[in-house]
Amino acid sequence: AYYLLGKDWLVTKEAWDKAGQEIPPVMITVANRTETAARIKFAFDHKEILIPELCNPERILQIDSKVLEEAESQGERTEEANFDSEDENNGNETKRLNKKQQAEYLRRMVDTVGQKGQSGEKIHNVISVGMLSEGWDTKTVTHIMGLRAFSSQLLCEQVVGRGLRRTSYEVGQDGLFEPEYVNIFGVPFTFLPHEGGDGAPPLPPKPKTTIEPVKEEERFALSWPNVIRIDRVYCSSLRINFDDIIPIELDPYESITSAEMVPILEGKPNMVGELSEIDLKDIAQRFRMQTIIFETAKRIYNSEKEKWQGIKEHLFGQLVGIVSQFIERDKIVVKNGLFGNEELRRIVLILLNMNKIIHYVWQAIKLENTEEIKPVFDTVKPIGSTGDMRTWYTSKPCEHTEKSHINFCVYDSTWEATESYILDKSKYVDAWVKNDHLGFDILYNYQGVIRKYWPDFIIKLSNGVQLILEIKGKDDDRNKVKREFLDEWVQALNAHGGFGKWDWAVSRHPSDLEGILEVININ
């Protein structure tokens, strides 16, 4: 038996149950920011993670480092706050505490995770933003998941150290402690790293070029709105023409159908240790097609209900009907005959690709039922600018610019160098910048996963149009999806009307750029 978390995370039920027999298991997820932690908690709260033990809201603790810091700074003044046993075991009671008391109560829960008789005793699932304090000494951590960038070995060691607190110091017959284990995912940890070696000394670093905005070139400064998402206003009654929908193809060879897990020692798999195989066939025994239809509709409903203008229950009923018809009309095509003809295997494949199917169905619904699109801007920093770029350094080839606020354009290819030269010399261009270290990105959804991509150039044409330019040789489905979301971004911005006129284009060869600039400038 197994449990599947997110897209790439597999945890065996046997491992979780075994940990629970020995000590009350605790899982820590280390996120990069509060928004990521909120999305993780949302997935657990709505049972999108198929581990029931981790989806109980009473056993989930989301830690915001800012709240913890506040609790620490106010510790002396909140020491007199009274917390009786009823308050500590009743989540409704804690809501009536003031901010200082709530922060102190949260600190107590964090400090006592896994300790019997304490406020944190029942916590199974800790979602942390940043690092937990050095004094945190919970001994019941059995699983650690890293969902942030780990820039140093020391940082990895600190995270892994949360799971290496011993629960027992009893010695075995051999005079050694009994081994204890922690399951670690997403943390690039090397065990007992060593320094030195017999190889040749490293080469001296390449000379670096300073990349920064130039004050004297502020007339070429460009700005853009920071759009965090695009909201849509939908028709009150959803409709969809199934005859126009191209079936979605699922390939078993592109899905995780089995895996082998081994311990990692010195950054390499320890093949000497035991291999534990994860077989995904048993899931079909617990799920039926109607359950899949309901789960798919539920996830779409949870993500869109706040934007729905009508009765929310009406939305859910319509989604169930559309998803049901989508599956019944054979809009899901399985490439492999073994998986397509055998119902149990087909169910497994659909479950493994549920995020992809959800995105595909909802995209089809959006196209036919959108009445209006609205950009939602970052309230902290609604406008980005070339002047905001921090100074950075590179050893890549680069060249001075003539019509850019940034002193150099850094080239990743000769193609980029050619296009940059054309932009500098073109009579249709007033200003331009390569989108490198600027912070300008477009969010897109590919196979159910929210991602970012960075267009290549931002250009201000002589007619006032702001052009987003992509250079692309070979094309694929992922790049097409990126352009769909780029087009939506441009449409939403032009509909808003407060940021001038925007357009986008794709250059497939350096020779076509001048023609693209001329056509858009004339139109």
Side-chain angles (χ1 to χ4, degrees):
Y2 78 101
Y3 282 122
L4 175 67
L5 281 75
K7 182 174 182 293
D8 301 316
W9 180 10
L10 290 169
V11 176
T12 59
K13 185 178 187 300
E14 289 79 2
W16 182 263
D17 290 342
K18 182 179 179 181
Q21 293 169 7
E22 298 169 356
I23 55 174
V26 174
M27 183 178 73
I28 302 176
T29 301
V30 184
N32 59 338
R33 48 192 294 184
T34 54
E35 292 85 353
T36 305
R39 290 176 59 190
I40 297 169
K41 188 172 187 300
F42 179 92
F44 281 112
D45 288 343
H46 291 81
K47 296 181 173 59
E48 294 180 4
I49 308 301
L50 305 181
I51 297 185
E53 294 87 345
L54 295 177
C55 295
N56 185 347
E58 295 181 355
R59 294 180 175 269
I60 300 175
L61 177 62
Q62 180 182 345
I63 303 172
D64 189 327
S65 57
K66 293 181 180 178
V67 177
L68 285 176
E69 289 173 5
E70 179 184 350
E72 295 293 341
S73 63
Q74 301 288 348
E76 295 181 0
R77 282 181 283 177
T78 58
E79 196 64 35
E80 298 178 359
N82 294 321
F83 299 94
D84 55 30
S85 58
E86 182 180 356
D87 287 337
E88 291 194 352
N89 292 285
N90 190 331
N92 295 328
E93 294 292 333
T94 61
K95 292 180 181 178
R96 291 199 287 267
L97 301 175
N98 59 42
K99 290 184 178 180
K100 293 181 181 180
Q101 291 173 326
Q102 288 186 54
E104 175 65 13
Y105 180 71
L106 176 61
R107 185 180 65 79
R108 288 192 181 192
M109 289 190 68
V110 174
D111 290 344
T112 59
V113 168
Q115 297 181 17
K116 291 186 178 181
Q118 301 295 326
S119 56
E121 174 186 4
K122 61 184 180 180
I123 299 299
H124 264 337
N125 189 352
V126 178
I127 303 170
S128 167
V129 178
M131 293 299 299
L132 295 167
S133 65
E134 293 182 0
W136 199 67
D137 195 33
T138 296
K139 297 180 174 60
T140 57
V141 176
T142 56
H143 294 74
I144 298 174
M145 180 63 184
L147 293 177
R148 57 158 294 171
F150 292 93
S151 55
S152 69
Q153 177 67 17
L154 177 60
L155 190 58
C156 297
E157 292 174 0
Q158 288 176 333
V159 174
V160 172
R162 303 303 174 198
L164 299 181
R165 308 300 203 262
R166 292 195 62 84
T167 59
S168 171
Y169 288 90
E170 295 183 2
V171 224
Q173 295 181 354
D174 55 2
L176 302 175
F177 292 135
E178 290 294 326
E180 297 180 1
Y181 303 93
V182 59
N183 296 283
I184 305 168
F185 304 88
V187 182
F189 177 65
T190 301
F191 185 65
L192 295 179
H194 64 278
E195 298 180 357
D198 300 328
L203 296 174
K206 295 181 180 180
K208 302 284 187 179
T209 303
T210 302
I211 311 297
E212 60 187 357
V214 181
K215 187 175 181 180
E216 292 75 20
E217 305 293 344
E218 283 186 349
R219 65 186 183 279
F220 298 124
L222 296 177
S223 61
W224 56 88
N226 285 325
V227 179
I228 57 176
R229 70 174 187 273
I230 306 293
D231 279 352
R232 291 173 175 260
V233 178
Y234 301 107
C235 305
S236 56
S237 295
L238 300 179
R239 60 185 183 276
I240 185 168
N241 187 351
F242 287 97
D243 295 333
D244 295 338
I245 298 179
I246 301 173
I248 181 174
E249 292 186 342
L250 303 182
D251 189 347
Y253 295 104
E254 295 179 357
S255 306
I256 302 174
T257 54
S258 65
E260 290 182 340
M261 302 179 65
V262 296
I264 301 295
L265 292 178
E266 297 185 2
K268 300 178 182 179
N270 178 23
M271 305 306 294
V272 180
E274 294 184 358
L275 287 172
S276 57
E277 185 177 351
I278 302 174
D279 190 355
L280 305 186
K281 296 179 183 178
D282 292 342
I283 189 173
Q285 305 296 335
R286 302 197 306 273
F287 286 86
R288 296 292 179 266
M289 193 58 70
Q290 195 60 35
T291 306
I292 296 174
I293 293 171
F294 183 86
E295 182 68 21
T296 303
K298 184 191 77 172
R299 294 195 188 184
I300 297 176
Y301 171 78
N302 285 333
S303 65
E304 301 295 331
K305 63 181 178 182
E306 300 303 326
K307 309 167 192 174
W308 184 254
Q309 304 294 324
I311 301 174
K312 291 180 170 50
E313 290 76 10
H314 186 207
L315 169 63
F316 183 73
Q318 293 182 83
L319 290 174
V320 171
I322 290 174
V323 174
S324 179
Q325 290 185 65
F326 183 86
I327 294 178
E328 291 173 0
R329 288 173 178 253
D330 295 328
K331 293 299 178 180
I332 300 178
V333 177
V334 179
K335 288 186 176 180
N336 184 285
L338 178 62
F339 277 79
N341 298 328
E342 187 178 329
E343 184 63 17
L344 292 182
R345 290 178 179 268
R346 186 168 184 266
I347 290 176
V348 169
L349 194 61
I350 290 175
L351 281 169
L352 292 174
N353 290 275
M354 184 172 288
N355 282 344
K356 183 177 181 179
I357 294 171
I358 289 170
H359 170 66
Y360 196 87
V361 174
W362 184 239
Q363 283 295 107
I365 294 174
K366 286 198 299 184
L367 290 175
E368 291 194 40
N369 296 274
T370 298
E371 293 183 341
E372 184 182 358
I373 54 178
K374 298 179 179 179
V376 179
F377 305 103
D378 189 333
T379 55
V380 178
K381 189 179 181 182
I383 303 294
S385 170
T386 51
D388 298 332
M389 190 189 78
R390 295 183 178 180
T391 301
W392 57 288
Y393 306 89
T394 182
S395 57
K396 291 182 179 180
C398 50
E399 194 64 52
H400 276 287
T401 58
E402 297 180 12
K403 295 182 180 179
S404 178
H405 190 194
I406 309 302
N407 58 346
F408 286 94
C409 179
V410 182
Y411 305 137
D412 293 316
S413 65
T414 54
W415 187 352
E416 282 190 357
T418 304
E419 303 246 330
S420 300
Y421 178 81
I422 295 174
L423 292 174
D424 252 343
K425 303 300 180 182
S426 175
K427 63 181 180 180
Y428 303 112
V429 175
D430 280 353
W432 67 277
V433 67
K434 183 184 175 184
N435 184 26
D436 196 351
H437 286 70
L438 293 179
F440 173 62
D441 55 62
I442 304 291
L443 292 175
Y444 71 102
N445 189 322
Y446 182 66
Q447 296 186 349
V449 180
I450 303 296
R451 309 169 190 265
K452 290 181 180 180
Y453 95 95
W454 294 264
D456 295 309
F457 295 98
I458 306 174
I459 306 164
K460 183 178 180 180
L461 299 178
S462 54
N463 65 352
V465 173
Q466 299 250 73
L467 174 66
I468 300 174
L469 180 69
E470 276 279 293
I471 60 174
K472 191 64 61 182
K474 294 182 179 179
D475 214 351
D476 55 29
D477 290 337
R478 185 165 179 171
N479 288 321
K480 292 176 183 177
V481 171
K482 289 179 183 180
R483 292 196 293 273
E484 289 176 4
F485 280 85
L486 173 58
D487 183 66
E488 181 184 65
W489 188 94
V490 169
Q491 288 186 43
L493 221 56
N494 288 335
H496 181 276
F499 298 93
K501 185 178 179 181
W502 288 75
D503 205 342
W504 66 274
V506 180
S507 173
R508 308 249 177 219
H509 191 275
S511 61
D512 65 11
L513 179 56
E514 191 69 24
I516 292 173
L517 299 175
E518 181 180 3
V519 169
I520 297 177
N521 192 76
I522 294 174
N523 295 338

